[in-house]
C-alpha cells in the first residue's frame, strides 16, 4: 500500500501548503491516483494514515477524533470513500499515553479505540511504541490492543513496533510477538538515502538467524514501516535520495526479505521509471510469494552479497548485491551449488533475470556457475 509518513511527515498547516498537508484531501487524492494509475491493479491496496491525523484531545465520550479542519468529513466517511475505490484504509495510534508527535495515545483506551477504529471501517492499524513507560506496559499494551481488535469482529491488520522498542534493552520474543501481531518493525525509520537502506540490509543480515525463521503467512518482519519498507518498512522509491541502481536494490531486497511493501512518496508526481519499478509484476510476485518464507544472505565476498529466498514451486529468488560505492560495474561469479543447499539446480534449472531489466538467461546444469555484472550500489534479481 501507500503510507504518508516519510514523504509528508507531520504537515498540519493546510493553509500554507494544502497539497502537502496531512488531510482528508491528501488521502482522497492518493486513493484516486492508486486506481487511475494502475497501483491497485498491481496489488497496492492500502491507503495508510500515519501520525498527526488526530485532534489534540479526545471527544466528550473519550473517543479519538480526527482534526476537524483537516478531516472535516471524519474518518468513517474517508473509509467509505477509500472502500468505494476498491481499496482499504489504514490508521495510526500509539501504545502509550501520547503518540510520537504528541497527539492522544491509546493507553488505558485500548478497547474503546479498537471499537472506534472498527466502527469507522478501518482495515489496518499501525501501533507505535512512544511514551509507553516500562517494557512491561509496552508489552501489555501490544497484547491488549491485539485482543481488543479481535474482539471487534472486524478483520484489521495489526502492524506493531514492539520489537523495535524492546531491542535496546532486551531480545524480543518473536514467537510471542507473532501470536499478537501481523507484522512488526525491527529497525529505525527508513530515510530517503542510500545509507539508510544499506544500514537496514546490514542489520537484517546480522540478525537473520533470529528473525528469518519466524516470518511466514500471518506474521512478517518489517525492515521499517516508518515504515518500507520496509516499515512499514517504507519504499522511498520515487523521492529524491536514491539513484536508479539504489532504488532497484531497495525493491529487489524488500522482495527477498518478504517485507510489507508500503510506499511513501507522492504518487501524483512520480517518474515513469519509478512507477515501472514499483509496479513490476514479477518483483511483486516474488515479494508476495504464497510460500511466505523470508530470504537470507548466503555469502558475502568483499563488496558482494548473495541472497536467496525459497519460493513456491521449488523455485528460488536470488539477489546479487554490490555494496561498493565507487568505480564501475563489477562481475560476481558463484557456483549454482550455493543455492538451495545445493538442490536448487539439481540436475538443472532455468534462470530468469527480473531486475534491473527482465530477460531469460537460459538453462544451466547443477555444476555450472553464474557470472553476474552489477553496478555499484545496485542489485541483480534473478528467479531460478
Amino acid at each position: 500500500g501507500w503510507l504518508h509518513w516519510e514523504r509528508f511527515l507531520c504537515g498540519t498547516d493546510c493553509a500554507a501548503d494544502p497539497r502537502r498537508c496531512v488531510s482528508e484531501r491528501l488521502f482522497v487524492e492518493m486513493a484516486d491516483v492508486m486506481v487511475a494509475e494502475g497501483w491497485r491493479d498491481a496489488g497496492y491496496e492500502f491507503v495508510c494514515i500515519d501520525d498527526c491525523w488526530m485532534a489534540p484531545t479526545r471527544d466528550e465520550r473519550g473517543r479519538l477524533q480526527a482534526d476537524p479542519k483537516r478531516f472535516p468529513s471524519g474518518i468513517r466517511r474517508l473509509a467509505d470513500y477509500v472502500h468505494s475505490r476498491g481499496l482499504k484504509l489504514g490508521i495510526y495510534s500509539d501504545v502509550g499515553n501520547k503518540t510520537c508527535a504528541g497527539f492522544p495515545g491509546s493507553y488505558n483506551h485500548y478497547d474503546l479505540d479498537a471499537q472506534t477504529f472498527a466502527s469507522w471501517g478501518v482495515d489496518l492499524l499501525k501501533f507505535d511504541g512512544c511514551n509507553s513507560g516500562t517494557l512491561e506496559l509496552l508489552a501489555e499494551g501490544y497484547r491488549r490492543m491485539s485482543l481488543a481488535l479481535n474482539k471487534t469482529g472486524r478483520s484489521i491488520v495489526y502492524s506493531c513496533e514492539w520489537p523495535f522498542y524492546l531491542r535496546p534493552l532486551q531480545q524480543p520474543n518473536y514467537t510471542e510477538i507473532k501470536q499478537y501481531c501481523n507484522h512488526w518493525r525491527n529497525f529505525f525509520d527508513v530515510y530517503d538515502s542510500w545509507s539508510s537502506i544499506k544500514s537496514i540490509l546490514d542489520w537484517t543480515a546480522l540478525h537473520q538467524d533470529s528473525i528469518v525463521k519466524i516470518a511466514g503467512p500471518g506474521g512478517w518482519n518489517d525492515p521499517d514501516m516508518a515504515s518500507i519498507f520496509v516499515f512499514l518498512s517504507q519504499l522511498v522509491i520515487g523521492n529524491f535520495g536514491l539513484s536508479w541502481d539504489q532504488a532497484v536494490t531497495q525493491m529487489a531486497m524488500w522482495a527477498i526479505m518478504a517485507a510489507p511493501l508500503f510506499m511513501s512518496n507522492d504518487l501524483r508526481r512520480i517518474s515513469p521509471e519509478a512507477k515501472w519499478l514499483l509496479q513490476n509484476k514479477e518483483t511483486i510476485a516474488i515479494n508476495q510469494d504464497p510460500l511466505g518464507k523470508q530470504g537470507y544472505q548466503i555469502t558475502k565476498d568483499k563488496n558482494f552479497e548473495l541472497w536467496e529466498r525459497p519460493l513456491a514451486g521449488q523455485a528460488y529468488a536470488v539477489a546479487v548485491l554490490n555494496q561498493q560505492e565507487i568505480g564501475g560495474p563489477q562481475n560476481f561469479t558463484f557456483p549454482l551449488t550455493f543455492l538451495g543447499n545445493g538442490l536448487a539446480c539439481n540436475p538443472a534449472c532455468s534462470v530468469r533475470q527480473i531486475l534491473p531489466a527482465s530477460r531469460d538467461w537460459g538453462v544451466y546444469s547443477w555444476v555450472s556457475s553464474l557470472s553476474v555484472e552489477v553496478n555499484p550500489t545496485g542489485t541483480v534479481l534473478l528467479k531460478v
Side-chain angles (χ1 to χ4, degrees), residues 118-370:
S119 72
W120 288 343
V122 164
D123 304 291
L124 178 150
L125 172 64
K126 177 188 169 184
F127 208 42
D128 217 331
C130 286
N131 305 303
S132 57
T134 67
L135 292 185
E136 290 74 20
L137 287 173
L138 178 85
E140 180 190 359
Y142 275 108
R143 294 186 200 106
R144 287 185 59 184
M145 181 54 87
S146 178
L147 298 173
L149 291 171
N150 282 342
K151 237 190 308 188
T152 68
R154 181 169 180 81
S155 178
I156 299 175
V157 176
Y158 187 33
S159 172
C160 300
E161 312 265 309
W162 191 352
F164 170 68
Y165 286 92
L166 278 180
R167 267 200 178 273
L169 299 168
Q170 68 182 57
Q171 173 69 22
N173 179 348
Y174 285 103
T175 303
E176 180 187 25
I177 289 168
K178 188 173 181 177
Q179 288 177 346
Y180 292 100
C181 304
N182 296 122
H183 50 91
W184 46 86
R185 176 178 163 198
N186 288 310
F187 198 62
F188 296 104
D189 282 5
V190 64
Y191 284 85
D192 189 9
S193 71
W194 170 243
S195 62
S196 175
I197 302 300
K198 182 179 183 299
S199 66
I200 289 171
L201 296 174
D202 291 345
W203 186 94
T204 302
L206 182 65
H207 294 90
Q208 65 183 19
D209 288 348
S210 64
I211 65 173
V212 166
K213 60 190 175 187
I214 199 67
W220 309 98
N221 288 298
D222 192 343
D224 160 50
M225 182 171 174
S227 71
I228 172 226
F229 230 137
V230 11
F231 283 113
L232 244 165
S233 134
Q234 289 156 34
L235 290 163
V236 291
I237 297 162
N239 290 327
F240 310 100
L242 301 183
S243 71
W244 172 249
D245 286 293
Q246 292 160 3
V248 168
T249 290
Q250 192 189 19
M251 191 68 182
M253 296 308 299
W254 263 238
I256 287 284
M257 294 188 293
L261 295 184
F262 284 87
M263 305 175 289
S264 191
N265 50 22
D266 192 342
L267 295 175
R268 300 165 300 189
R269 305 177 183 180
I270 193 167
S271 71
E273 295 81 13
K275 180 180 176 183
W276 174 86
L277 180 58
L278 286 163
Q279 291 190 7
N280 186 283
K281 285 184 165 53
E282 291 181 288
T283 310
I284 292 171
I286 289 171
N287 174 264
Q288 300 284 309
D289 183 76
L291 191 62
K293 288 186 176 294
Q294 181 170 334
Y296 40 84
Q297 187 187 102
I298 301 174
T299 188
K300 185 170 184 176
D301 183 3
K302 296 175 183 169
N303 292 307
F304 278 100
E305 297 179 16
L306 181 65
W307 294 63
E308 75 174 10
R309 178 182 175 186
L311 304 176
Q314 296 181 299
Y316 286 82
V318 177
V320 183
L321 167 62
N322 180 4
Q323 290 265 23
Q324 185 157 308
E325 300 180 23
I326 193 170
Q330 291 190 325
N331 281 309
F332 179 69
T333 301
F334 64 95
L336 289 173
T337 51
F338 273 21
L339 305 179
N341 290 319
L343 301 176
C345 289
N346 188 3
C349 59
S350 63
V351 178
R352 178 169 172 78
Q353 179 179 303
I354 309 298
L355 291 177
S358 60
R359 60 186 178 93
D360 286 319
W361 283 17
V363 175
Y364 291 78
S365 73
W366 181 62
V367 295
S368 302
S369 292
L370 275 188

